[in-house]
Amino acid sequence: MPAVFVHGVPDTHHVWDDVRDHLTHTDVLALALPGFGSPVPQGFTATKEGYVEWIIARLEDIGSPVDLVGHDRGCALTARAASLRPDLVRTWAGGDASISGAVEWHDLGKIWQTPDVGEQWMAPLPRVLGHRRPVRAGGACRPSRKERQGQELVRLDSGHWRPVQRPRELADALTRRWESVRAQPSPREQVCRPQPT
């Protein structure tokens, strides 16, 4: 199964480089969201749903269910994509974002969401950040206990930038998750398995 990583804001896909270096899994793709170190496609709308549709299109291109991983804004976008198209996702993992609508955004998050103002603020970032230097922007939001119910929760001793601060530990946690799922038949396989007559 391919693993697909989605970065947050204001990162680029390079935030995943160190994690990918520690994976034994070789079928790995880090998507570069439009406008974050990659060109913006003609007609693309830089809205949450626009990014979700773009991610779904990339997953459809792969052609088989993936292990989907998101960080920061990429966490929220991948959670939404997985909820709309569960047929494209074998496992989902995300961190350092809220997947609840009841979130008070930090000041930079509010700027990023303001049409035109967000684009103006982001324009100089590729020169400022380089390709691997994230910016710490306010407090990290975490899923509520209710949102986590029934899910494995892995806590890593680090700040918001786990892919950069704890790449080996994050890669190990993802590998354990993927291997545990590979060892179990999927619900689809359980339902679709022919029953003896």
Side-chain angles (χ1 to χ4, degrees):
M1 298 282 167
V4 176
F5 290 79
V6 180
H7 63 84
V9 174
D11 312 333
T12 70
H13 64 287
H14 292 291
V15 76
W16 295 111
D17 288 350
D18 292 338
V19 174
R20 294 170 65 190
D21 289 345
H22 292 291
L23 291 172
T24 56
H25 198 88
T26 57
D27 193 5
V28 179
L29 172 66
L31 298 179
L33 293 172
F36 295 89
S38 66
V40 177
Q42 183 78 18
F44 178 77
T45 57
T47 63
K48 176 190 68 141
E49 292 306 320
Y51 281 106
V52 168
E53 290 169 8
W54 183 89
I55 291 168
I56 288 172
R58 304 296 76 74
L59 299 180
E60 288 173 336
D61 291 343
I62 292 170
S64 64
V66 302
D67 294 317
L68 188 59
V69 181
H71 174 256
D72 186 75
R73 183 72 169 154
C75 172
L77 296 173
T78 57
R80 177 72 172 147
S83 73
L84 292 173
R85 291 294 306 275
D87 58 305
L88 300 174
V89 179
R90 187 180 77 101
T91 66
W92 175 81
D96 299 307
S98 176
I99 53 174
S100 167
V103 171
E104 177 64 27
W105 283 92
H106 52 77
D107 290 340
L108 281 177
K110 291 174 183 175
I111 290 171
W112 294 330
Q113 295 178 63
T114 305
D116 297 324
V117 175
E119 286 83 352
Q120 291 170 7
W121 194 93
M122 294 296 294
L125 277 185
R127 291 187 307 277
V128 173
L129 293 178
H131 76 281
R132 294 175 80 148
R133 307 245 346 170
V135 171
R136 176 101 168 104
C141 300
R142 291 178 178 83
S144 69
R145 181 176 292 143
K146 183 177 178 184
E147 291 165 335
R148 291 189 318 258
Q149 210 162 26
Q151 302 296 317
E152 176 186 1
L153 177 64
V154 176
R155 287 189 150 287
L156 301 176
D157 184 21
S158 64
H160 177 77
W161 301 100
R162 284 164 184 84
V164 174
Q165 295 168 316
R166 298 279 194 226
R168 179 181 303 276
E169 293 91 338
L170 182 53
D172 291 347
L174 290 169
T175 298
R176 282 192 306 276
R177 172 66 177 144
W178 298 335
E179 288 174 354
S180 75
V181 173
R182 281 187 184 85
Q184 304 168 8
S186 72
R188 193 173 321 152
E189 290 170 325
Q190 292 171 352
V191 170
C192 299
R193 186 176 297 139
Q195 300 298 317
T197 55

